Amino acid sequence: MTTEGNWRSPLARALHQSNRAPARHLQLATVTPEGHPANRTLLFREFREHPEGDQLCVHSDRRASKIDDLQAHPYAEVCWWLDETRDQFRIAGSVHLITAATTGDDAAYRQEQWKELDDHEKALYISPDPGAPRADEEAFDKAFSTTPPEDPPDTFVVLLLSPTRIDHLSLSGHPHRRTRYTRTDERWTEEELNP
Ligand SMILES: Cc1cc2nc3c(=O)[nH]c(=O)nc-3n(C[C@H](O)[C@H](O)[C@H](O)COP(=O)(O)O)c2cc1C
């Protein structure tokens, strides 16, 4: 038993050893309001240190379906394959959404995350509604030629995943290794499993 789950170390090490950009792409599965699975690729931004445990930070658009999913069911599972190190991490937990309505430290964190984006990334948040029927090209041209707002627009949402179960499969040696980290209340357990 440990109070600090040390799941972050193998993941941070695998990311550090991965040189290609796709290593930062993870798949995030959610459950739709109707109870169906939904999955998509997102860009991992950073680990956020939090008194209750490290979180994974990703960004998305308030108008996207995943936000409806997470408002109905605030749980998700990430599947992340790092092919250079041959590691798979499956990370399940609850998701906290930082939106334009959020106040306090989280609002400041959302502001900081917005400042990290380049103009091209910012333009996506003032582009026509994701998932709506294709808009006119002028609407996209306008979004990409406008100077992005200084402050995050209402569409910009920060998603923070607080892991409660991590399943790490390492295919880099023989036999393969599998480790499961589980959080129950405030404590973490770490178990070696057959792969
Ligand atoms: C390589 C890659 C990276 C992506 N990164 C993001 C991202 O960081 N945030 C995001 O909202 N969508 C990102 N997308 C788009 C999503 O996969 C998805 O198409 C979009 O968010 C709509 O998903 P939804 O309808 O399930 O909400 C990315 C797609 C690809 C292929």
Side-chain angles (χ1 to χ4, degrees), residues 85-155:
T85 61
R86 301 182 57 71
D87 288 295
Q88 172 185 263
F89 293 88
R90 287 182 292 166
I91 307 171
S94 57
V95 179
H96 171 58
L97 300 176
I98 309 182
T99 68
T102 309
T103 55
D105 287 352
D106 282 353
Y109 184 71
R110 177 170 170 269
Q111 196 89 24
E112 284 166 27
Q113 288 297 306
W114 178 252
K115 291 203 185 322
E116 295 290 317
L117 303 187
D118 61 34
D119 285 1
H120 186 90
E121 291 173 307
K122 286 178 176 168
L124 296 171
Y125 292 94
I126 51 169
S127 290
D129 276 21
R134 181 77 184 186
D136 295 340
E137 288 310 305
E138 298 86 76
F140 291 96
D141 291 346
K142 187 168 168 233
F144 282 87
S145 58
T146 307
T147 305
E150 188 80 7
D151 291 323
D154 289 356
T155 50

Side-chain angles (χ1 to χ4, degrees), residues 4-70:
E4 289 296 313
N6 56 6
W7 57 270
R8 177 172 159 174
S9 305
L11 175 55
R13 194 177 320 118
L15 276 170
H16 183 71
Q17 291 170 357
S18 298
N19 298 313
R20 293 199 296 271
R24 300 188 78 80
H25 297 154
L26 51 79
Q27 274 70 48
L28 180 90
T30 53
V31 178
T32 69
E34 297 77 29
H36 299 291
N39 202 355
R40 76 288 290 162
T41 306
L42 298 179
L43 178 65
F44 168 68
R45 296 287 167 174
E46 64 175 14
F47 295 102
R48 188 198 192 192
E49 289 179 7
H50 190 273
E52 288 172 25
D54 293 335
Q55 301 170 317
L56 304 185
C57 172
V58 293
H59 300 168
S60 198
D61 192 307
R62 193 200 61 191
R63 302 166 294 176
S65 306
K66 69 182 82 53
I67 305 299
D68 297 332
D69 298 353
L70 290 164

